[in-house]
Amino acid sequence: MDLNKSVLPGYEGLLKNFLYNFTYFPTTNWQHALSPTFNFGCNVQDVEVESRVLDKVGSYGSQLNRVLDVLSVLVADLDRSTLTRQEQRFVDKFEDLAHSADEAARGVHGKPGHGVTHADINRMLDTLDELKKSNSASYRELVTHIHSQLPPPE
């Protein structure tokens, strides 16, 4: 194939780079005959370690879920008033990630979801703040309704 007369004008360098520099090292782990594992990547030397960890500890999703669970406990005790607005957004994004992972797992196992997260409340507060600026009457109506539904503080 003459790369200088490619059918994709302007992509000759990209095609040449792909054909001559792209490297992959496929390995197949037939340890589990009914569920072989295919690995593609440059760190083939780690295949045995990765396979052992997956066999002994659990899937990547299971490992990540344990980390998310522990971080969720730590985040729950976090004093958010000491955080900057940017840090609060990071925590919100983390909670969204953890919540989405839990929801996805529950969806597979057919279990119902659980409640509202801090991220949900923060999104609602942001939306109310925008409403306050754009339509103060609607804002007051919603805030009054929310207050009427909440028990008095202890």
Side-chain angles (χ1 to χ4, degrees):
M1 171 179 181
D2 183 0
L3 293 176
N4 294 326
K5 296 180 182 174
S6 171
V7 292
L8 299 171
Y11 292 96
E12 296 88 6
L14 179 65
L15 183 60
K16 189 178 213 176
N17 187 30
F18 176 78
L19 291 175
Y20 292 109
N21 295 325
F22 178 73
T23 310
Y24 72 95
F25 301 99
T27 59
T28 304
N29 178 354
W30 292 99
Q31 181 178 357
H32 306 286
L34 297 177
S35 180
T37 303
F38 297 92
N39 299 295
F40 293 90
C42 295
N43 56 343
V44 179
Q45 67 276 7
D46 294 336
V47 169
E48 186 176 342
V49 173
E50 292 288 334
S51 295
R52 173 79 48 92
V53 171
L54 290 171
D55 284 345
K56 301 292 182 189
V57 178
S59 69
Y60 295 118
S62 171
Q63 294 174 50
L64 181 58
N65 206 29
R66 288 181 189 175
V67 172
L68 290 173
D69 288 344
V70 169
L71 287 174
S72 293
V73 169
L74 297 174
V75 164
D77 288 336
L78 190 62
D79 180 3
R80 291 168 183 262
S81 67
T82 63
L83 301 178
T84 67
R85 190 70 182 135
Q86 181 66 32
E87 290 169 336
Q88 289 176 10
R89 284 190 198 103
F90 291 151
V91 171
D92 289 347
K93 288 179 182 179
F94 165 78
E95 287 182 330
D96 284 342
L97 171 70
H99 183 71
S100 295
D102 285 344
E103 287 297 313
R106 273 193 288 283
V108 169
H109 298 297
K111 297 177 183 174
H114 68 281
V116 177
T117 67
H118 279 57
D120 295 330
I121 297 297
N122 286 335
R123 270 193 303 279
M124 182 191 74
L125 292 173
D126 288 342
T127 302
L128 281 173
D129 192 42
E130 291 172 18
L131 182 63
K132 182 179 183 179
K133 294 172 187 170
S134 66
N135 187 339
S136 61
S138 292
Y139 167 80
R140 282 191 304 277
E141 181 183 332
L142 281 174
V143 169
T144 301
H145 178 68
I146 290 169
H147 282 290
S148 72
Q149 297 301 308
L150 295 175
E154 295 177 4

